[in-house]
Amino acid sequence: MIIVGAGVSGMAVGSYGQMSGLETRIFEKHVIAGGCCTGWGRDGWLFDYCIDWLNGTKPGNAANQVWRELGALDGKSVTRFEVFNKVVDTDGRSVSFPTDPDRLEAELLACSPADEKLIRGFCADLRRFTKLALHPFLTPPPLTPLREKLAMLATVLPAFRLFWRSGGTQMADFTARFSDPFLAKALRNMFFQDPENFALIPYHYTMAEAHNGNVGMPQGGSLGLAKSIEDRYTALGGRIDFRSRVARVLVEDGRAVGVELRGGERHYADHVVAACDALSTVSTLLGGSHSSPTLDTMLTEVMPAPGELYPALVSVFVGIRGDLPAEESHSTTYFLSDEDAARLPGSLQKSLVVHLRSRMIAGIAPPGHSLLMCNYFSDFDTWKDLRTGDRKAYRARKQEVAAFVLEYLERLHPGIGDRVEQVQVSTPATTERYTGNARGAILAWKSPRADDLIDRMIGKDRLSLPGLRGFHLAGHWVGGGSLIKAAASGRFAAQYLCRELGVPFRAVESTDTRPWGPERLGELPQLDRWTEQQVPSGEEARTSS
């Protein structure tokens, strides 16, 4: 089996293939595994890009079982948080979002007593979600045994009204009923920024999982997670060829028979899995010759429509000497004035999120230092057009973003500018360049319509394309956003292809008990060292693209 892409889904397909007795090989265009679950290094710093929280960190559920099978959490501790996020308005007014329903209710009531009825209703439903165990990550619906379907129905049916209410109500519509405009806006930014078209159910589900201890930050962060899965895959006998860009999938008589790399080198296999960008798969790897009505709808109707893709990010990493005050939240969303927001190129929302990454991931900053990650949702074309048409202007614009972020942090924490030692800026064009994700979308879809199509891709189409045998898809474009869904899509694809090949599917947990250590990351990738120049705040800070 050949797999295109060594992201989490690709390595999951490979790992389950190896467990099931198949010989697998992954071709990856980058120098490291992980896809969007990534980071890079510079001078003793690790700029961890991906995980804000991971679902499945507590034993005893199917999400955690997937991670145990993939070795993702082997030997690692997990940092959990009692407060998910804090939101601060331009006038300094703030509200926090504890994961405990009782504390959350008290916090929200203190913020807006006039909205008591809505607040109590929201928190009552959150309490109901904490009592549910819903982790559909082990088996795709067509292959799920009847007894497991009945067990799921036994969980879902008694909570039908809860799911109907939470799944059928958009957060924007719910918050529009609040009398306090600040709290209404803050609720929409509970998960750092406002996705704009989410229903209540992902808020209830994620907060409930966090309260139950099943959401957290694994030791080693994003690169650590990817490296652990890579180690598991290679220990099972799998092989990854890095710096190997696949140019096309080879098709003979309606069957995928291998791949051709850029440069013309060909490799043949009994089965091919594309665990990479779906648009590139259809348009480039398959040359537009093979698709499906479901995938066509996703790529030609849903993708071009405004607001259907998860927004891209601009991320500014700031490394400082020392730390911020202990009472500072690990994550804070700051609403910005019109004037400040105008200084963030491509900004889609008037906000800036500040994560204290080194509080959540030990060892990513040198001893005695701290790392902040400041980001905002951004338009893709603003950055792509600049990088393509005027590289000098692109770099200057990145410097402008860095300068504003340092100035803003100085307002929040006077004197911090004198402690800055590193500044790294990543744009949507950076994300597209290193991961291949269409338009730099970090989690693929945020569309209810896309969710329905994903269900069809998994259930009816079985992650395959009509008229093309020996081929499957995996990844967040066809399996849904989030790392656990990416991993699950790999598990599903492996089950489907094993069925097609007549091979029994096997899944066994990793037995690696070695304690995790940063030395296991190996050599860290570096972004382009295109410049080292003065950032207009504090002492000299090194910047990169």
Side-chain angles (χ1 to χ4, degrees):
M1 175 170 59
I2 285 176
I3 302 157
V4 184
V8 168
S9 61
M11 291 191 291
V13 176
S15 295
Y16 288 115
Q18 292 291 144
M19 293 180 213
S20 302
L22 302 179
E23 180 184 350
T24 71
R25 185 175 182 180
I26 300 176
F27 291 98
E28 167 59 47
K29 70 173 187 175
H30 200 7
V31 298
I32 57 168
C36 288
C37 188
T38 192
W40 60 95
R42 178 64 53 78
D43 303 329
W45 301 81
L46 173 57
F47 304 99
D48 190 88
Y49 179 72
C50 177
I51 300 177
D52 291 322
W53 70 86
L54 185 71
N55 187 4
T57 56
K58 180 181 179 180
N61 61 81
N64 184 258
Q65 180 178 329
V66 172
W67 295 132
R68 294 199 309 273
E69 291 167 352
L70 296 178
L73 304 178
D74 284 353
K76 296 178 180 177
S77 60
V78 175
T79 300
R80 297 182 174 87
F81 31 85
E82 296 182 356
V83 176
F84 218 100
N85 190 32
K86 180 180 179 181
V87 177
V88 180
D89 206 352
T90 52
D91 61 2
R93 188 181 178 200
S94 67
V95 62
S96 296
F97 294 94
T99 58
D100 177 80
D102 294 338
R103 289 182 57 199
L104 176 64
E105 185 173 88
E107 179 80 15
L108 301 185
L109 287 173
C111 181
S112 179
D115 291 307
E116 178 180 1
K117 182 177 180 181
L118 292 169
I119 291 168
R120 292 197 185 279
F122 180 86
C123 293
D125 280 349
L126 174 56
R127 292 185 186 93
R128 296 182 179 101
F129 267 92
T130 64
K131 296 178 174 60
L132 298 175
L134 294 171
H135 306 96
F137 305 120
L138 294 182
T139 310
L143 304 184
T144 302
L146 178 60
R147 68 179 185 279
E148 292 183 18
K149 291 181 178 179
L150 293 175
M152 176 66 75
L153 283 175
T155 299
V156 171
L157 287 180
F160 175 79
R161 292 182 62 187
L162 172 64
F163 287 113
W164 176 81
R165 185 167 57 247
S166 186
T169 304
Q170 291 286 303
M171 175 60 92
D173 295 335
F174 175 69
T175 57
R177 297 155 57 190
F178 277 67
S179 62
D180 185 337
F182 166 67
L183 183 56
K185 186 177 179 181
L187 277 164
R188 298 195 299 272
N189 286 266
M190 185 188 305
F191 296 156
F192 314 135
Q193 294 173 88
D194 181 6
E196 295 181 339
N197 62 351
F198 275 14
L200 290 179
I201 194 165
Y203 294 90
H204 281 140
Y205 177 82
T206 304
M207 290 290 279
E209 290 293 286
H211 175 63
N212 289 336
N214 199 38
V215 162
M217 177 67 76
Q219 187 181 7
S222 308
L223 269 182
L225 189 88
K227 183 61 178 175
S228 290
I229 299 174
E230 179 188 354
D231 288 347
R232 169 67 166 157
Y233 171 62
T234 55
L236 287 165
R239 170 179 172 179
I240 303 178
D241 288 44
F242 294 106
R243 297 185 178 90
S244 300
R245 184 187 292 267
V246 174
R248 67 187 181 106
V249 173
L250 302 174
V251 179
E252 295 179 1
D253 299 324
R255 184 175 188 86
V257 296
V259 298
E260 181 178 299
L261 305 184
R262 180 182 288 184
E265 185 178 325
R266 293 186 171 190
H267 298 268
Y268 292 89
D270 300 298
H271 208 97
V272 176
V273 177
C276 51
D277 178 71
L279 181 60
S280 299
T281 297
V282 172
S283 62
T284 302
L285 300 188
L286 296 173
S289 299
H290 298 276
S291 187
S292 71
T294 307
L295 196 54
D296 282 343
T297 300
M298 295 171 76
L299 299 179
T300 63
E301 296 182 21
V302 181
M303 181 177 282
E308 299 297 313
L309 287 184
Y310 213 92
L313 280 177
V314 172
S315 298
V316 182
F317 293 88
V318 180
I320 63 171
R321 295 190 303 278
D323 199 356
L324 296 184
E327 64 272 14
E328 195 74 20
S329 173
H330 81 278
S331 175
T332 305
T333 300
Y334 294 95
F335 294 154
L336 303 178
S337 66
D338 292 343
E339 181 181 1
D340 282 340
R343 296 177 61 187
L344 293 177
S347 177
L348 300 178
Q349 299 177 4
K350 298 175 183 178
S351 62
L352 181 71
V353 183
V354 178
H355 297 280
L356 304 186
R357 296 297 274 179
S358 51
R359 290 264 182 96
M360 301 301 296
I361 311 170
I364 63 173
H369 295 71
S370 301
L371 182 65
L372 287 66
M373 177 184 183
C374 309
N375 53 38
Y376 65 92
F377 281 160
S378 175
D379 170 60
F380 173 76
D381 292 325
T382 295
W383 295 99
K384 180 65 174 179
D385 293 347
L386 265 182
R387 192 178 192 281
T388 302
D390 190 340
R391 195 69 61 84
K392 184 177 180 180
Y394 172 75
R395 293 168 178 169
R397 188 62 54 85
K398 287 159 60 70
Q399 289 287 342
E400 292 172 13
V401 174
F404 171 76
V405 168
L406 292 178
E407 177 189 315
Y408 192 79
L409 290 174
E410 182 70 22
R411 291 186 223 164
L412 298 174
H413 307 285
I416 195 174
D418 294 331
R419 299 190 280 142
V420 173
E421 293 192 357
Q422 282 279 352
V423 179
Q424 297 270 319
V425 182
S426 170
T427 76
T430 313
T431 303
E432 182 201 44
R433 179 184 174 197
Y434 283 96
T435 70
N437 260 19
R439 301 188 65 79
I442 55 175
L443 289 173
W445 313 102
K446 67 180 185 73
S447 159
R449 187 181 181 192
D451 288 342
D452 293 337
L453 293 168
I454 286 170
D455 290 342
R456 192 186 307 170
M457 278 294 305
I458 294 173
K460 182 179 179 182
D461 297 350
R462 299 191 174 205
L463 294 173
S464 63
L465 302 178
L468 183 59
R469 303 184 308 279
F471 182 84
H472 278 88
L473 299 157
H476 59 201
W477 291 101
V478 294
S482 84
L483 287 170
I484 185 58
K485 288 183 178 180
S489 77
R491 198 180 199 274
F492 294 169
Q495 290 174 78
Y496 282 137
L497 69 89
C498 281
R499 178 68 63 93
E500 182 175 318
L501 294 171
V503 175
F505 173 80
R506 290 189 70 232
V508 294
E509 294 183 12
S510 171
T511 57
D512 188 350
T513 58
R514 292 176 297 161
W516 170 263
E519 68 280 355
R520 292 177 62 182
L521 289 174
E523 184 178 355
L524 298 177
Q526 312 283 310
L527 285 188
D528 294 344
R529 191 182 287 271
W530 55 265
T531 183
E532 290 187 1
Q533 56 183 273
Q534 181 84 9
V535 175
S537 178
E539 296 183 359
E540 183 173 335
R542 300 179 196 178
T543 65
S544 178
S545 63

